[in-house]
Amino acid sequence: AQTVTQSQPEMSVQEAETVTLSCTYDTSENNYYLFWYKQPPSRQMILVIRQEAYKQQNATENRFSVNFQKAAKSFSLKISDSQLGDTAMYFCAFMKSWLDGSGAGSYQLTFGKGTKLSVIP
Amino acid sequence: DAGITQSPRHKVTETGTPVTLRCHQTENHRYMYWYRQDPGHGLRLIHYSYGVKDTDKGEVSDGYSVSRSKTEDFLLTLESATSSQTSVYFCAISESRGSGYEQYFGPGTRLTVT
């Protein structure tokens, strides 16, 4: 079974500064995907960024980027130029895909417990 | 927006009563999931479906059942609700994007069992 660990329950950052959220995971799989989701106070789960394990290049999406270290099983999220709207819970998630006997895939997610990020004006 | 709706959005029920939550999607996705979110636990998978009438258990399936009689609807049933099932329930779909799959979530249902 996979486990995902987010060691920072809460963090804060000044508006316009940069912050990095940590995530580590444990798996014996070689092919998988990693994700960061954002959950603002509205409760909606929003996909922020995705990283394929077979890609060495780190994923970026506008102000969001990741530092993926496969050997260390580390997947951190960097938010640049933090904005008040970035205030939210952030969840790291792992996806393994496999085929069961029927040939169907699963693509289920295993989540970390989350990091609550507060952006301070 | 992956066209996912959940109903009801909020529900209060009494211990021992049956409860059914509905997830509806409009884009013909094959894979659908039910998660629960509790403080200190993140989201945990309850059940998932990989096609009509094809379902399987997740990490926290005890006390829950699911059904999928048509592609667009995935129902989660609590046969006899308990206070430990007070939670926020999220439905999700998996969608192929580029070289992999991504999951998109519905707005959630807050269930309180008194």
Side-chain angles (χ1 to χ4, degrees):
Chain A
Q2 286 66 234
T3 59
V4 178
T5 302
Q6 295 179 247
S7 59
Q8 306 151 314
E10 294 192 37
M11 296 188 72
S12 61
V13 61
Q14 291 291 136
E15 196 174 5
E17 297 295 310
T18 296
V19 64
T20 299
L21 281 58
S22 301
C23 173
T24 58
Y25 58 94
D26 188 23
T27 185
S28 58
E29 301 294 324
N30 191 47
N31 295 314
Y32 50 88
Y33 305 99
L34 295 164
F35 303 85
W36 280 97
Y37 282 86
K38 169 185 178 181
Q39 187 179 41
S42 67
R43 201 170 67 199
Q44 180 68 50
M45 292 289 289
I46 302 166
L47 177 61
V48 174
I49 199 164
R50 178 185 96 185
Q51 175 76 43
E52 290 89 335
Y54 65 86
K55 289 186 177 179
Q56 292 186 335
Q57 185 174 5
N58 289 322
T60 62
E61 288 287 344
N62 300 312
R63 298 184 294 108
F64 298 88
S65 62
V66 299
N67 183 4
F68 173 50
Q69 302 290 328
K70 190 173 184 179
K73 296 180 182 176
S74 171
F75 181 60
S76 61
L77 175 70
K78 185 172 81 171
I79 305 174
S80 304
D81 185 26
S82 296
Q83 301 175 0
L84 296 178
D86 295 333
T87 293
M89 284 289 291
Y90 287 82
F91 293 96
C92 178
F94 173 101
M95 178 188 284
K96 180 187 95 168
S97 67
W98 69 89
L99 299 177
D100 63 16
S102 70
S106 171
Y107 311 111
Q108 60 184 266
L109 289 170
T110 300
F111 284 87
K113 295 182 179 181
T115 296
K116 182 178 182 180
L117 177 67
S118 299
V119 180
I120 302 167
Chain B
D1 184 358
I4 307 167
T5 58
Q6 293 184 230
S7 59
R9 295 292 312 279
H10 300 87
K11 185 170 183 65
V12 179
T13 192
E14 293 184 349
T15 299
T17 60
V19 176
T20 296
L21 308 182
R22 179 183 183 232
C23 177
H24 179 76
Q25 53 115 343
T26 59
E27 299 182 2
N28 205 37
H29 297 292
R30 178 181 179 186
Y31 300 99
M32 299 184 75
Y33 310 81
W34 278 107
Y35 293 87
R36 61 177 288 174
Q37 182 179 22
D38 304 291
H41 287 279
L43 278 77
R44 293 178 291 174
L45 182 68
I46 305 171
H47 281 280
Y48 67 95
S49 170
Y50 49 94
V52 173
K53 298 185 180 179
D54 291 322
T55 65
D56 205 349
K57 296 179 179 180
E59 177 188 355
V60 291
S61 60
D62 287 349
Y64 302 94
S65 62
V66 291
S67 65
R68 193 168 178 200
S69 59
K70 45 186 179 177
T71 299
E72 58 266 35
D73 288 327
F74 191 32
L75 304 180
L76 176 71
T77 298
L78 291 64
E79 302 289 348
S80 177
T82 68
S83 58
S84 65
Q85 294 176 312
T86 292
S87 187
V88 178
Y89 292 86
F90 285 95
C91 175
I93 59 92
S94 274
E95 183 174 84
S96 177
R97 290 287 179 96
S99 59
Y101 276 77
E102 296 178 350
Q103 275 196 23
Y104 295 91
F105 288 80
T109 294
R110 180 176 293 278
L111 176 67
T112 302
V113 183
T114 61

